[in-house]
Amino acid sequence: MTWKLSAILHGHTEDVKAVIAPTDSLIVSVSRDSSARTWKRQPDNTFNEDKIFLGHTNYVNSVAFIAASEANPNGLIVTGGSDKLINIWDPENASNPVYTLVGHADNVCSLFADADGHIVSGSWDKTAKIWRNWQCVHTLEGHTQAIWGVLELEHSVVVTASADKTIGMWRDGKKIKTITGHEDCVRSLALLPGIGFVSCGNDGALIVWSNNGDPLQALDGHTSFVYSVAALPTGEIFSSGEDRTVRVWESGVCTQTILHPCVSVWCVATLPNGDIVSGGSDGFVRVFTRTAERVADAEVLKAYDEQNAAAAIPSNQVGDVNKDDLPGPEALEQPGKKDRDVKMVRVGDTVEAHQWSNAEQSWTKIGEVVDAVGQNRKQLYNGVEYDHVFDIDVGEGLPALKLPFNVTENPYTAAQAFLVKHDLPQEYLDQVADFITKNARAVGQGTSSAGDPLTGGSRYTPGQTRSNLGSYNPWGNDASQPTPTPKPAPKPTPKQLIPQVSNVPFKDANLPAIHKKLLQLNTELEPSGVALDSVELATIESLFKFLGTPPKQPTPQPEYMAVLMKIFNTWPEASRFPALDLLRLLALYSTSPVETPGLLSTLLHACRTHETNLMLAARLVVNFCETDVGREVATKEMSAVLGFMEEEAVWKGTNKNLKLAVSTVFMSYSTLLLKRPDDDEIAIQYVAVLTKILEKEREQQVQYRLLVALGNLIFAHESAKESAEIFGVKGAIQTAVLSRPPAEKASTSSIASEIVRLLQ
């Protein structure tokens, strides 16, 4: 029997980076949403979310499990993250880690644990560490780039997979062999009992090795990066990668390709009962089985096949596509030349990819081919993947310096880290950040940080910009033409960060993706009677044309407001986000949103229990502050709006996009209060609120906005400055920023220091 879908586990809000299944009834997953989660099997073979573990402050990227023992009857979960920490958890107690292991200097991206409780960890800091009794007993040094995979072959022998294209073999903490064979970064390792081990990498290959590190077999079939590999005691190998697939290998042959409705399948693992589990960039965990009684019901299987068929396939995964040269659907009347043969056909203006199955003697649609934004592969720098690695010229006769950057980063964060690393003057900050913003292109959905919770796809999510990353350009720049590499002047004037007088609107948007999503939701809602009619759909089409070529000055567009408000007032809460996304864009180019009485308070009140909608409503507030008439309305509703922004539920959660939007609201209002020096009461009130939030918040991009808001208030209001001493602003800044390690204050230390000087 072939592998079929058994269960879909939904709870994570961002990419699932690693999974493990200690028992047939327990799955552990970790995610970029900063959480680890446990899932327990139910009598009907579905899985329910059991516990959420929130001990990490950043992405959680690796997981392992220590088997149950007399001392730990439940076993122990081991998690590693971008916060450089390894947390040890009792699976039945998510409140606090049992132990926290400190020692790595960068992201802990790989973990292995044996039955005796020995742990091996690998990190971007180019080292692996062996831990016994919760103490580091060996640090394995020798790789020149990040260590992406670790595996214990026997009690004293460890192998490590590195971005330097090699595999290291170590005994008792000492390197005994360097294994070569991969042509690119080596990503993952898995044990093959009785044979040795298997590795996979960015070269798209899997290689089987003996226990001595001799190559035995190469497995080729993936069309892009291979991120993860796992194996069953029977010798079957499973691999997952950037090509939307988990592949099944038997005796060196790929016997099945399991498609996923997300481009990045980050991880795959096996269950003791022979099932497999995967985690993807759409935030879902999926279980597959070849045992009939555990296969999902027909309705779920059909929906899953439809999701796969609807998924867009970047053309870089199937080669260059010339639509004019492709045959029509009649080509599918001929059988495939081999199993899993892929054929592309032109259906109107759409290019569809179909795959042949020898077992079923039929073609199955696997997706629609698109010109992916991200056809350029990620670049490696010091063994870590980045969307860009820029050359920065710092002076005549000096070599260019490398500046790595991911489009999900704040350009100022990356620029600040670059200055700190190379000991460059702080006054270059704006020049470098501006260079990044103007030269950073968007990348494709392969690295989508969150999937659509309604469809399982990863094409449009409400936090998205043109980059399709579920994130946005926080500084609102939208330059598309590259500029020359900056050459800093010898003696530029130091940059003063406070006051910041400009608003930072949310302008970026992926209009085609929003359009497609809105129409999809409208179709789904037709049976309920709330769907848009033909006239309203025509208005929506007109709105997208309006936003595609907006006027230079805002104009009234009441017909657009009417349709968007109908969606907001009549559609289910979880389906409103495209309308809110369009509304925040309309506020930049039309006077109609700001002319709607009480709009901000109404929307915020209605959105307060739904994180995604609240995030988009917050972005709308910021965009109100971009126009003269919008600023007037935002000022009138200031107290009510800021009341929503300080609610504890916002700041206790882990939704980074929500916090970024809300902190930008604080920043926007602080620019308004710069021009209202008599509004001392509200300035004092929000010095207290911002100080309280800052004491606990550690995300630098969020901190930066909070600090701008705080600095503006102190700069413009003498009473706010006086109250800062009462509220302990200096102490909060010292704790939250200035006392942190350099990497944790790269983008915030300068503005924090400037605020402290303002308070002198």
Side-chain angles (χ1 to χ4, degrees):
M1 180 178 175
T2 58
W3 296 86
K4 294 185 177 180
L5 181 69
S6 175
I8 299 177
L9 289 55
H10 178 52
H12 287 294
T13 58
E14 296 191 43
D15 302 48
V16 177
K17 291 305 300 289
V19 290
I20 193 169
T23 71
D24 293 339
S25 299
L26 177 66
I27 292 173
V28 187
S29 58
V30 299
S31 167
R32 283 180 172 170
D33 63 12
S34 303
S35 77
R37 297 173 191 243
T38 53
W39 312 81
K40 290 191 175 179
R41 187 186 295 273
Q42 303 304 302
D44 61 354
N45 284 314
T46 60
F47 283 80
N48 283 353
E49 184 178 273
D50 184 48
K51 290 184 172 58
I52 303 176
F53 302 80
L54 297 174
H56 289 278
T57 59
N58 209 322
Y59 297 165
V60 190
N61 295 313
S62 51
V63 64
F65 193 86
I66 298 172
S69 63
E70 185 177 345
N72 299 290
N74 298 320
L76 293 169
I77 298 170
V78 186
T79 59
S82 298
D83 56 7
K84 312 169 193 175
L85 302 178
I86 300 170
N87 284 331
I88 318 296
W89 305 87
D90 181 334
E92 298 301 323
N93 183 0
S95 58
N96 289 296
V98 180
Y99 303 100
T100 296
L101 311 184
V102 180
H104 280 295
D106 212 325
N107 173 32
V108 181
C109 55
S110 56
L111 286 168
F112 177 89
D114 65 19
D116 295 327
H118 300 165
I119 298 170
V120 186
S121 57
S123 170
W124 285 6
D125 65 11
K126 307 174 189 176
T127 74
K129 293 181 182 289
I130 299 175
W131 309 80
R132 292 176 185 159
N133 297 320
W134 323 122
Q135 301 294 321
C136 180
V137 296
H138 295 296
T139 297
L140 312 183
E141 299 178 303
H143 283 293
T144 59
Q145 294 188 18
I147 295 178
W148 282 99
V150 293
L151 177 68
E152 184 182 80
L153 295 182
E154 50 187 80
H155 199 57
S156 60
V157 179
V158 168
V159 284
T160 52
S162 173
D164 63 13
K165 307 178 186 179
T166 72
I167 298 170
M169 185 174 286
W170 315 74
R171 178 178 283 114
D172 295 324
K174 296 182 180 179
K175 196 171 191 178
I176 58 174
K177 190 171 186 177
T178 297
I179 303 168
T180 59
H182 280 283
E183 298 177 357
D184 206 334
C185 170
V186 191
R187 299 296 294 249
S188 179
L189 303 164
L191 193 66
L192 291 175
I195 299 175
F197 63 97
V198 59
S199 61
C200 66
N202 282 6
D203 54 7
L206 286 78
I207 302 178
V208 177
W209 310 86
S210 71
N211 278 321
N212 294 322
D214 299 320
L216 302 177
Q217 192 175 44
L219 311 177
D220 291 308
H222 281 281
T223 60
S224 190
F225 298 168
V226 187
Y227 293 131
S228 178
V229 64
L232 284 171
T234 55
E236 292 158 300
I237 296 171
F238 308 90
S239 56
S240 69
E242 183 76 1
D243 57 4
R244 296 179 59 201
T245 72
V246 168
R247 299 191 183 229
V248 184
W249 307 83
E250 298 180 57
S251 302
V253 177
C254 180
T255 58
Q256 188 176 347
T257 299
I258 305 172
L259 287 168
H260 286 60
C262 59
V263 173
S264 299
V265 188
W266 289 115
C267 50
V268 63
T270 60
L271 279 72
N273 64 8
D275 290 355
I276 57 176
V277 56
S278 66
S281 56
D282 57 1
F284 288 88
V285 177
R286 297 178 173 91
V287 181
F288 298 87
T289 187
R290 53 186 169 182
T291 302
E293 58 265 27
R294 292 197 294 273
V295 173
D297 61 44
E299 187 175 327
V300 174
L301 293 177
K302 180 183 178 183
Y304 184 64
D305 288 342
E306 290 173 350
Q307 287 177 7
N308 276 319
I313 305 174
S315 58
N316 64 318
Q317 291 186 11
V318 292
D320 293 332
V321 178
N322 186 337
K323 291 183 181 180
D324 295 333
D325 295 339
L326 294 176
E330 66 277 2
L332 301 177
E333 297 173 4
Q334 300 298 318
K337 297 178 181 179
K338 60 181 180 179
D339 195 33
R340 298 181 305 282
D341 188 17
V342 174
K343 179 175 289 187
M344 287 178 288
V345 297
R346 180 175 178 175
V347 181
D349 290 330
T350 301
V351 176
E352 295 181 354
H354 294 255
Q355 187 176 64
W356 175 258
S357 168
N358 276 342
E360 300 177 4
Q361 286 293 296
S362 65
W363 293 97
T364 300
K365 181 183 173 184
I366 59 174
E368 296 179 357
V369 181
V370 297
D371 293 325
V373 187
Q375 292 188 9
N376 297 318
R377 284 188 170 184
K378 289 206 171 203
Q379 301 177 61
L380 287 177
Y381 176 69
N382 288 338
V384 178
E385 289 179 347
Y386 294 93
D387 297 323
H388 306 272
V389 178
F390 297 118
D391 287 323
I392 302 294
D393 186 356
V394 293
E396 295 292 342
L398 297 176
L401 301 176
K402 299 292 185 183
L403 192 163
F405 179 71
N406 284 316
V407 296
T408 50
E409 289 183 85
N410 177 348
Y412 276 81
T413 301
Q416 183 67 59
F418 173 78
L419 298 182
V420 171
K421 178 177 180 179
H422 296 290
D423 197 26
L424 295 173
Q426 183 64 34
E427 53 263 32
Y428 295 166
L429 178 64
D430 273 4
Q431 288 175 280
V432 177
D434 185 59
F435 171 80
I436 294 171
T437 300
K438 291 180 178 178
N439 287 276
R441 57 154 175 79
V443 298
Q445 78 184 78
T447 50
S448 173
S449 64
D452 180 344
L454 299 172
T455 68
S458 54
R459 293 174 298 286
Y460 164 61
T461 56
Q464 205 172 31
T465 66
R466 295 181 307 155
S467 69
N468 285 348
L469 286 166
S471 186
Y472 55 85
N473 177 353
W475 299 100
N477 295 304
D478 193 24
S480 58
Q481 298 299 320
T483 57
T485 304
K487 294 186 178 182
K491 295 181 180 180
T493 304
K495 173 67 176 177
Q496 181 177 323
L497 301 174
I498 298 296
Q500 179 167 313
V501 298
S502 300
N503 189 48
V504 183
F506 292 100
K507 290 185 175 181
D508 291 348
N510 186 343
L511 288 175
I514 301 174
H515 188 194
K516 185 174 182 179
K517 187 62 184 179
L518 191 148
L519 294 181
Q520 175 200 328
L521 291 171
N522 191 64
T523 300
E524 293 173 358
L525 290 169
E526 285 178 353
S528 68
V530 299
L532 303 180
D533 60 28
S534 59
V535 174
E536 290 163 335
L537 286 173
T539 302
I540 287 292
E541 297 300 320
S542 175
L543 169 59
F544 276 100
K545 291 179 181 178
F546 174 81
L547 293 175
T549 55
K552 292 184 179 180
Q553 295 296 326
T555 58
Q557 302 291 339
E559 68 278 16
Y560 299 153
M561 275 299 299
V563 176
L564 294 178
M565 290 310 294
K566 174 185 174 177
I567 293 174
F568 187 81
N569 290 323
T570 63
W571 284 20
E573 185 178 44
S575 302
R576 297 172 185 168
F577 59 85
L580 284 166
D581 225 352
L582 292 170
L583 191 56
R584 60 100 181 172
L585 294 170
L586 188 62
L588 295 168
Y589 309 116
S590 170
T591 57
S592 295
V594 299
E595 291 170 351
T596 303
L599 180 66
L600 295 182
S601 298
T602 300
L603 293 181
L604 288 168
H605 187 272
C607 295
R608 65 194 304 172
T609 59
H610 192 281
E611 284 189 345
T612 298
N613 292 346
L614 181 57
M615 178 262 295
L616 292 169
R619 292 182 176 186
L620 172 65
V621 174
V622 174
N623 286 1
F624 261 52
C625 296
E626 188 63 9
T627 65
D628 290 337
V629 64
R631 282 189 287 271
E632 183 177 343
V633 173
T635 301
K636 290 179 180 177
E637 298 197 45
M638 184 181 297
S639 295
V641 169
L642 291 177
F644 288 108
M645 299 300 104
E646 67 177 280
E647 286 193 357
E648 196 171 343
V650 172
W651 299 101
K652 274 194 171 182
T654 59
N655 189 321
K656 178 181 173 182
N657 277 348
L658 173 59
K659 290 184 179 182
L660 283 169
V662 170
S663 58
T664 310
V665 172
F666 281 122
M667 189 166 69
S668 296
Y669 271 115
S670 75
T671 64
L672 300 183
L673 287 168
L674 283 171
K675 303 171 184 177
R676 300 172 65 89
D678 295 332
D679 282 349
D680 286 339
E681 184 176 346
I682 197 165
I684 293 171
Q685 177 185 350
Y686 282 97
V687 167
V689 170
L690 291 167
T691 304
K692 183 179 178 181
I693 295 171
L694 192 61
E695 286 173 345
K696 297 180 180 179
E697 182 57 46
R698 292 296 178 267
E699 167 56 48
Q700 289 190 65
Q701 294 182 36
V702 177
Q703 282 185 334
Y704 191 94
R705 289 158 175 72
L706 296 173
L707 287 166
V708 168
L710 192 58
N712 279 349
L713 294 173
I714 292 170
F715 178 88
H717 298 263
E718 187 64 30
S719 57
K721 182 176 180 180
E722 293 170 356
S723 67
E725 184 173 352
I726 299 172
F727 299 135
V729 170
K730 283 186 183 178
I733 291 175
Q734 181 67 31
T735 300
V737 180
L738 298 178
S739 65
R740 312 298 295 178
E744 296 179 23
K745 59 181 179 182
S747 63
T748 53
S749 60
S750 295
I751 190 169
S753 298
E754 187 169 327
I755 293 172
V756 170
R757 288 194 296 272
L758 282 175
L759 294 172
Q760 301 295 341

